[in-house]
Amino acid sequence: MMTWPESNITSANVAINTLTTGLRFPEGPAFAPDGSLWAVELKGESLVRFQKGQVARFQVGGQPNGIAIDAQCLIWFCDAGQRAIRRFDPQTNRTDTIVTSLDNQPFDKPNDLAFDAIGNLVFTCPGESRQEPTGYVCVLTTSGDVRKITDGKYFPNGLAFTADGRELIIAETYRHRLWKGRWDAQTAQWTDAHIWATVDGPQGPGGPDGMAFGEDGNLYVAVYGTGKIHVINHGGQVIRYLNLPGQNPTNCAFDPTGRFSLVVTEAEKGELLSCSIAVQGSHLFNPTVFITPINQ
């Protein structure tokens, strides 16, 4: 675990464009292969699409949270309310429930998710683990099996794979720290996990949430309750802050086309923001995934 003296961390006011506002607790920004930008409204029971300057809402019910998009432009999302991993097809407006339980027990409020290079889907289940280390993380393999890859965490939350897919970072929000471990896509195992970085956070609710890797090799982390994106280098050192207009950033994603640079969902003001920085995102995984929904 690395630390970085506060006096060495620069704080930058970047140019910010508000793409849309009035969102009810936005989360999970992600770009589809067709260039559309997607997010969720956790408290609005909706998926949100931003495309060509227009916003469209798709009611899916529950409490949608993180988003991952596959090569077929299918929108996979965690649903904390329905305790499920679900999938939305923008072509048909159909929502399927993919999986709902582990060892015959309902998932504990799935939060965020990410595909690895071959289509395994990793997702966090924090439940109510703010005061007790009862949070865990699962993998849904390409064969449709579900199992834990780690447990005993205080609110596991955002996650991201490194550009080469060989390492996985997971945020432990209520301990203000990030874990890093080696990821084996063939066996879907996370090994040698260790505390890699710590970030400043509020005394109350909040801490590191969603995140995205830039092509510069740095990790950009939305830290809820701080009004900042924390930029962390490969050694786990916080090297820079990006200031935001609201206090509660929930997640971020790089636009692969470069149009919107770094997109941030911000919950205090209910906004979808575009932060102009001279960095593009690292390689994005968009695997083709064939798993039969349980509600077919």
Side-chain angles (χ1 to χ4, degrees), residues 223 225-228 243-249 266-269 271 273:
V223 183
T226 68
K228 295 178 174 64
N243 297 323
L244 300 170
Q247 284 297 112
N248 297 332
E266 201 287 316
E268 181 191 20
K269 297 178 180 293
E271 295 179 334
L273 307 172

Side-chain angles (χ1 to χ4, degrees), residues 8 67 104 132 155 187 197 232 241 270 281:
N8 290 343
I67 283 179
N104 296 317
E132 298 291 336
F155 215 89
T187 62
I232 303 175
Y241 299 132

Side-chain angles (χ1 to χ4, degrees), residues 269-281:
K269 297 178 180 293
E271 295 179 334
L272 184 62
L273 307 172
S274 171
C275 303
S276 181
I277 59 176
V279 178
Q280 293 185 353

